[in-house]
């Protein structure tokens, strides 16, 4: 994923409103919070996006917002929002199930995670930064490929339910 994709994802999260399409919002969360190669690989193996959920992870966003991820939900709060924007892990999984997750992308993630797991110096030493870069690039490539780009793909399939409050 290029820096512009990360910038786009942060911009989407900083400017999202209750009318923002859920697939695009879920993509932005994934691109920012689940970009290590192990995340898409874990989803691909389990088909359960809840496996990506941390006990708790919080990160600040532009515009005074906060992204909070827990085992049960994804939430964007504060800033100029009247109510938090909430997603489920299933929303994020649907982005990964868009049909763009190719065998080549998964193979890149597998190779990066194997190098990460089997690094001779443990989680440090000579070459460790290269291993981390490979994990980041493989995960980023998945999110870049899965970004909703077609107007029909950004159609809010959950529009009748609205964003949870």
């Amino acid at each position: 994923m290029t820096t512009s994709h990360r910038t786009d994802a942060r911009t989407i999260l900083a400017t999202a409103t209750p009318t923002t399409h859920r697939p695009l919002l879920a993509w932005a969360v994934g691109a920012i919070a689940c970009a290590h190669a192990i995340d898409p690989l874990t989803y691909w193996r389990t088909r359960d996006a809840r496996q990506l959920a941390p006990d708790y992870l919080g990160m600040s966003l532009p515009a005074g917002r906060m992204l909070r991820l827990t085992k049960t939900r994804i939430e964007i709060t504060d800033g100029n929002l009247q109510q938090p924007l909430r997603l489920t892990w299933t929303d994020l999984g649907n982005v990964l199930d868009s049909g763009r997750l190719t065998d080549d992308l998964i193979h890149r993630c597998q190779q990066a995670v194997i190098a990460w797991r089997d690094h001779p110096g443990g989680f440090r030493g000579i070459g460790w930064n290269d291993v981390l870069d490979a994990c980041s690039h493989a995960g980023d490539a998945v999110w870049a490929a899965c970004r909703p780009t077609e107007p029909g793909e950004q159609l809010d399939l959950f529009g009748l339910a609205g964003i949870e409050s």
Side-chain angles (χ1 to χ4, degrees):
M1 182 183 308
T2 65
T3 303
S4 66
H5 280 89
R6 283 191 188 270
T7 302
D8 288 351
R10 289 184 69 77
T11 300
I12 290 165
L13 294 175
T15 60
T17 68
T19 61
T20 300
H21 296 294
R22 287 176 79 107
L24 189 61
L25 189 57
W27 171 83
V29 168
I32 295 297
C34 301
H36 189 282
I38 202 155
D39 295 319
L41 185 60
T42 297
Y43 180 76
W44 178 78
R45 288 180 174 165
T46 65
R47 293 294 191 222
D48 183 0
R50 293 172 300 177
Q51 298 297 316
L52 306 180
D55 287 329
Y56 176 82
L57 174 68
M59 58 178 61
S60 60
L61 298 169
R65 291 190 177 183
M66 182 79 171
L67 174 62
R68 291 185 176 92
L69 301 104
T70 67
K71 292 279 185 197
T72 57
R73 77 170 105 184
I74 300 165
E75 187 173 75
I76 300 167
T77 59
D78 301 323
N80 60 354
L81 294 171
Q82 299 276 330
Q83 297 178 32
L85 301 177
R86 293 188 177 118
L87 296 168
T88 66
W89 287 98
T90 302
D91 295 327
L92 198 135
N94 289 339
V95 172
L96 291 171
D97 279 335
S98 66
R100 294 190 177 121
L101 193 54
T102 66
D103 290 342
D104 181 56
L105 290 169
I106 289 300
H107 182 71
R108 282 181 61 188
C109 289
Q110 285 174 324
Q111 295 306 306
V113 169
I114 289 169
W116 179 66
R117 181 194 66 201
D118 295 343
H119 188 266
F123 297 122
R124 61 177 173 246
I126 296 173
W128 180 241
N129 287 337
D130 294 334
V131 169
L132 290 178
D133 287 345
C135 287
S136 178
H137 292 306
D140 286 346
V142 167
W143 290 104
C146 291
R147 180 179 179 160
T149 55
E150 297 294 320
E153 289 180 64
Q154 292 183 18
L155 179 64
D156 190 353
L157 300 176
F158 306 97
L160 295 176
I163 293 197
E164 291 178 30
S165 57

